Amino acid sequence: MSDEVDERVTPPLVDEAVKKAAVCWVSAAGGPAYALWCLPLEGTLLVVTGPGEQAAPGLADSDTADVTLRGDHGGRIVSWPARVTRLQPGTEEWDTVAPLVAAKRLNASGSAAELVERWAAQGCALNRLAPAGTAVSGADLPDGSLSEQPRPTPVVRAVRKPFRLHRVRRR
C-alpha cells in the first residue's frame, strides 16, 4: 500500500473552507505563519508574493507549506499540509490563472493585464497551494492562541505624547 495521499479527495471541511477563503495563514519551511490574501480555484488556493505584493519568506522556493483557514466566526477551523506549485510566466497555466487572480486583487494600480505583466517582469511568485495530507480540525487543533510577539518592521514609529490644548487645573 502506498503512503501517497490521493490529492483528488479532500475532506469536506477542507474543501468547504477553501471555497470560502479570502485570507489564509501560510507557514513555509517551518517559519512563522503569514496572513495572505488568496483566491480559491478548483479546490486549491492561489497566492501572489514578491516585490510590490505580500511577503511570505520561503514560500516561492518551497515544495510544501502549512495552511490554516478560518471559519465564518473568524476562528481557526482547519489546518492542512499543502503542496506548493509555482506557476511560471509564459505557460498555459499562468496565462489562464494569473488574469483571474489579478482581477480579484484589491487596490491594484492599472488593469488586470498590466498587473499580470508587472508580476511576470518583477519576478513575483504565483503559487498554487493544494491540500496534500491529513487535515487537523476540531478537538485536534491546538488549545492555545498561538499568538507571537510582533515581528520587527521598518515602518514602526515612536509613539508621541498626546496633544493637549490647555492645562488642567487641579483644585
Side-chain angles (χ1 to χ4, degrees):
M1 182 161 197
S2 173
D3 288 334
E4 227 176 278
V5 176
D6 185 356
E7 295 159 7
R8 295 169 296 175
V9 179
T10 57
L13 178 62
V14 172
D15 192 42
E16 196 61 30
V18 166
K19 286 179 190 175
K20 294 181 177 185
V23 175
C24 60
W25 283 260
V26 180
S27 171
Y34 288 86
L36 306 174
W37 70 270
C38 60
L39 176 72
L41 183 67
E42 299 173 355
T44 65
L45 297 175
L46 298 165
V47 297
V48 178
T49 60
E53 295 297 329
Q54 54 200 352
L59 181 62
D61 301 322
S62 183
D63 293 333
T64 60
D66 293 316
V67 177
T68 299
L69 298 175
R70 64 186 175 138
D72 293 335
H73 59 16
R76 176 181 54 231
I77 61 167
V78 66
S79 294
W80 42 272
R83 187 183 75 250
V84 179
T85 306
R86 184 171 179 174
L87 307 182
Q88 298 298 325
T91 63
E92 183 178 334
E93 189 173 23
W94 172 278
D95 294 340
T96 303
V97 173
L100 297 174
V101 177
K104 295 294 183 180
R105 170 70 163 85
L106 298 178
N107 303 322
S109 59
S111 68
E114 292 169 341
L115 187 57
V116 170
E117 288 176 21
R118 183 174 61 86
W119 288 343
Q122 292 182 346
C124 290
L126 175 55
N127 294 305
R128 180 184 300 272
L129 307 174
T134 304
V136 177
S137 62
D140 295 332
L141 287 169
D143 287 337
S145 70
L146 302 179
S147 65
E148 298 178 11
Q149 288 294 324
R151 292 187 264 288
T153 176
V155 295
V156 174
R157 58 185 152 149
V159 177
R160 297 187 311 172
K161 292 182 181 178
F163 176 75
R164 294 194 334 205
L165 291 174
H166 56 72
R167 278 195 162 157
V168 177
R169 294 182 189 178
R170 294 187 184 184
R171 292 181 190 198

